[in-house]
Amino acid sequence: MVVNHASTLSVEYFIQYLELVMKSRQIPLKEAEQYMRDQFFKGNPHLYGERTASCFKQAIQCIEKKENENERN
């Protein structure tokens, strides 16, 4: 996937990307998060800037919240 270094990647972008990784690899969120840190960010969470790193963290929180709500129901 080509990433433009000049733009900030959105929370929604990362939600979709993480969910795709989780589904395709059949792994939990924590493993998908680590996979993204290693492969997408190449070990540097700020590779694409502070705002993109923040959006990545927010996406993780959104998925965690969604998973917790699903567990309660």
Side-chain angles (χ1 to χ4, degrees):
M1 176 180 288
V2 177
V3 177
N4 182 349
H5 289 266
S7 65
T8 299
L9 299 172
S10 70
V11 173
E12 186 60 35
Y13 174 87
F14 284 116
I15 289 171
Q16 295 297 319
Y17 202 131
L18 283 161
E19 288 178 342
L20 175 65
V21 169
M22 290 165 59
K23 191 174 200 174
S24 65
R25 294 180 170 267
Q26 298 182 338
I27 58 175
L29 176 59
K30 289 298 178 193
E31 288 181 38
E33 178 184 349
Q34 188 60 50
Y35 173 83
M36 291 282 295
R37 288 183 191 281
D38 294 342
Q39 299 300 316
F40 185 87
F41 289 105
K42 300 186 183 7
N44 178 3
H46 301 288
L47 180 64
Y48 300 108
E50 293 292 324
R51 290 185 64 204
T52 294
S54 177
C55 288
F56 178 63
K57 290 177 188 175
Q58 289 175 40
I60 292 165
Q61 292 170 348
C62 287
I63 294 172
E64 286 174 338
K65 181 180 177 183
K66 185 174 160 182
E67 287 179 346
N68 289 336
E69 288 172 358
N70 288 340
E71 286 177 6
R72 281 187 238 135
N73 294 331

